Amino acid sequence: MATRTQARESVIGLLYAYDLGNEGIVKFVDEILEDKKIRNKQKEFALDLFNGVVENIEKIDEELISHLNQGGIKDIGSVEKSILRLAIYEILFKDLDKPIIINEAIELSKRLASDGAPKFINGLLDKVNKA
């Protein structure tokens, strides 16, 4: 059975594709999660996260932009942006432990994103959490 970490990782992949302009991916979310063996409760969890981010993307991006020290949202890599969007969604809209959300985002960024991403993501999510 898949873990929540694996479910989040799949959601990041979906958000990455969505960010690159593949908005039609919404139609294939079920099949993609099934291919990655994300099923049952974890599938519900992943679908809830993906749909929640897509539905609230403007508010999430406003929050993200408000905590950037320099540059704009277009300066953030797509993988990093997908990780941040997911974590900010969870911080703002979900009743989960904030330190767990932030730690999960950092760990995923270590595996999926650039070398400087964990530090950047940690700093930005810390600001979101304290806001």
Side-chain angles (χ1 to χ4, degrees):
M1 185 200 272
T3 64
R4 282 191 164 208
T5 300
Q6 291 166 318
R8 283 185 177 102
E9 191 170 327
S10 295
V11 170
I12 290 165
L14 292 166
L15 291 171
Y16 174 80
Y18 186 85
D19 186 53
L20 293 179
N22 187 357
E23 294 178 8
I25 196 153
V26 173
K27 297 175 192 155
F28 303 104
V29 172
D30 275 342
E31 293 90 356
I32 292 167
L33 292 175
E34 188 63 35
D35 285 348
K36 294 182 180 273
K37 310 271 188 275
I38 309 291
R39 298 185 178 119
N40 305 322
K41 285 185 178 178
Q42 299 311 350
K43 183 176 180 181
E44 288 173 29
F45 177 70
L47 286 170
D48 181 53
L49 292 178
F50 177 73
N51 292 327
V53 172
V54 170
E55 288 165 14
N56 295 286
I57 202 153
E58 288 175 16
K59 181 163 178 33
I60 293 165
D61 284 353
E62 283 173 21
E63 186 71 22
L64 172 56
I65 291 164
S66 75
H67 295 290
L68 290 174
N69 291 337
Q70 59 196 29
I73 196 165
K74 291 188 182 345
D75 298 321
I76 302 171
S78 288
V79 173
E80 291 84 352
K81 196 183 321 169
S82 299
I83 294 168
L84 285 166
R85 283 175 168 163
L86 174 58
I88 291 170
Y89 170 73
E90 289 190 89
I91 289 169
L92 296 180
F93 296 97
K94 292 292 171 188
D95 190 24
L96 300 168
D97 257 356
K98 308 307 185 233
I100 292 172
I101 295 167
I102 294 169
N103 187 55
E104 188 88 346
I106 294 165
E107 291 304 313
L108 286 164
S109 72
K110 287 177 184 175
R111 283 212 314 273
L112 304 172
S114 63
D115 289 344
K119 186 176 179 184
F120 171 68
I121 286 172
N122 184 26
L124 199 136
L125 293 178
D126 201 40
K127 291 180 195 173
V128 171
N129 190 33
K130 290 177 179 166

